[in-house]
Amino acid sequence: MGKFVITTRKNGECQFTLKAGNGQAILASEGYTTKAACLNGVESVKKNSADLSRFEKLESKNGKFYFNLKAGNGQIIGTSEMYESTASRDNGIASVQKNAPDAEIVDETAT
């Protein structure tokens, strides 16, 4: 079972990482100024991950593959790691779709 891990960055912002059942990071957020905003981001991933059209498949300048998960308003709510192949990237998307909806939230922030 997947989990969202909420941590604090060095600059004080919160971020979340969605990890698969094996502990591998499959989606990471940008920084949020408040924990409440970060938790809203988690809920947005849970909701939007069910819709395959919300995943934007991309290729980086160095030839690696990745994806962004976008909210209904087009805002990016999470970015994947870099993958060696499109098949691996597509497996990453499937993993987010499988793990995100029921993932527990683990708060590792100090507050």
Side-chain angles (χ1 to χ4, degrees):
M1 180 147 151
K3 63 183 175 183
F4 287 96
V5 179
I6 298 175
T7 56
T8 305
R9 292 178 166 187
K10 288 187 174 114
N11 66 2
E13 292 181 336
C14 289
Q15 75 174 57
F16 64 81
T17 303
L18 174 61
K19 295 188 176 189
N22 64 4
Q24 182 178 0
I26 49 178
L27 191 74
S29 74
E30 298 176 348
Y32 294 93
T33 54
T34 66
K35 191 186 298 185
C38 187
L39 290 169
N40 284 341
V42 167
E43 291 306 315
S44 186
V45 169
K46 287 184 174 204
K47 182 174 92 178
N48 288 288
S49 63
D51 185 347
L52 194 56
S53 70
R54 299 269 197 251
F55 290 89
E56 178 183 39
K57 298 178 179 183
L58 301 161
E59 183 176 350
S60 67
K61 289 184 175 120
N62 66 0
K64 305 249 182 183
F65 303 93
Y66 68 104
F67 61 86
N68 288 325
L69 176 59
K70 293 186 167 185
N73 63 4
Q75 184 177 352
I76 295 171
I77 48 180
T79 301
S80 73
E81 62 180 2
M82 294 293 169
Y83 296 98
E84 296 295 327
S85 68
T86 56
S88 295
R89 177 189 60 204
D90 292 348
N91 286 340
I93 291 171
S95 186
V96 170
Q97 289 191 295
K98 177 183 160 198
N99 287 285
D102 301 316
E104 67 174 319
I105 299 172
V106 179
D107 187 348
E108 294 183 353
T109 61
T111 56

